[in-house]
Amino acid sequence: MNAIAGIITGLTNALLFPVGQSPTWGLIWLSLLAGVMMAVVFKYTSSPKRIKAAKDKVKARILEMRIYQDDPGLIIKAFGGTMVSNGRYLAALIVPFVILIGPITIVWMQLDERYSRRYLAIGAQTILSVELKEG
């Protein structure tokens, strides 16, 4: 497991080499690369026709609720249809999501490890709170 982590860290270091040690530029650079990767994967693994049809159906159901706002029965029926259509929309997105969840988790873990914490600089001030128990 440490070997895999070492490889991933080495690849991330190689990707961050062009921007040096700057946390801001590193975050921007990795975010840009991740965004491009997600767009390419999404393009080749999703079904645009299916996604568009599902989105159009959701819009139609919402419009139906707006048009028949005085009829509670039709509102409830349209709301149920909206939920079903929304489920179909999410189902159309599941393949790219499943493919991307692994790489994005790795990128997120690398970003968290590198940029979420920092050590106190020499001479920096901080507040330390302590609760003591008697005895």
Side-chain angles (χ1 to χ4, degrees):
M1 197 63 160
N2 284 337
I4 294 171
I7 291 170
I8 292 170
T9 300
L11 286 172
T12 307
N13 289 339
L15 286 173
L16 286 172
F17 181 74
V19 295
Q21 297 295 320
S22 169
T24 302
W25 288 111
L27 188 59
I28 291 169
W29 179 244
L30 281 180
S31 297
L32 181 70
L33 291 176
V36 169
M37 177 197 70
M38 288 189 298
V40 169
V41 169
F42 193 86
K43 177 182 179 181
Y44 290 110
T45 60
S46 66
S47 172
K49 290 179 184 176
R50 193 170 154 211
I51 291 170
K52 182 171 178 9
K55 281 173 62 174
D56 289 345
K57 198 70 151 171
V58 170
K59 290 176 192 175
R61 293 298 188 161
I62 291 172
L63 186 58
E64 183 180 357
M65 285 190 279
R66 182 78 176 138
I67 291 171
Y68 299 112
Q69 61 187 346
D70 296 332
D71 189 343
L74 288 176
I75 292 285
I76 292 170
K77 182 179 175 186
F79 180 74
T82 303
M83 293 296 108
V84 169
S85 298
N86 202 20
R88 288 187 182 132
Y89 175 64
L90 292 175
L93 298 174
I94 195 75
V95 172
F97 176 76
V98 168
I99 292 171
L100 287 171
I101 194 73
I104 292 304
T105 301
I106 292 169
V107 169
W108 175 74
M109 288 169 49
Q110 284 290 319
L111 291 174
D112 180 62
E113 188 62 34
R114 291 168 189 272
Y115 302 127
S116 69
R117 301 173 230 19
R118 68 175 190 195
Y119 298 105
L120 290 174
I122 296 174
Q125 294 182 0
T126 187
I127 297 175
L128 177 65
S129 298
V130 178
E131 271 188 50
L132 300 175
K133 292 183 180 178
E134 285 199 35

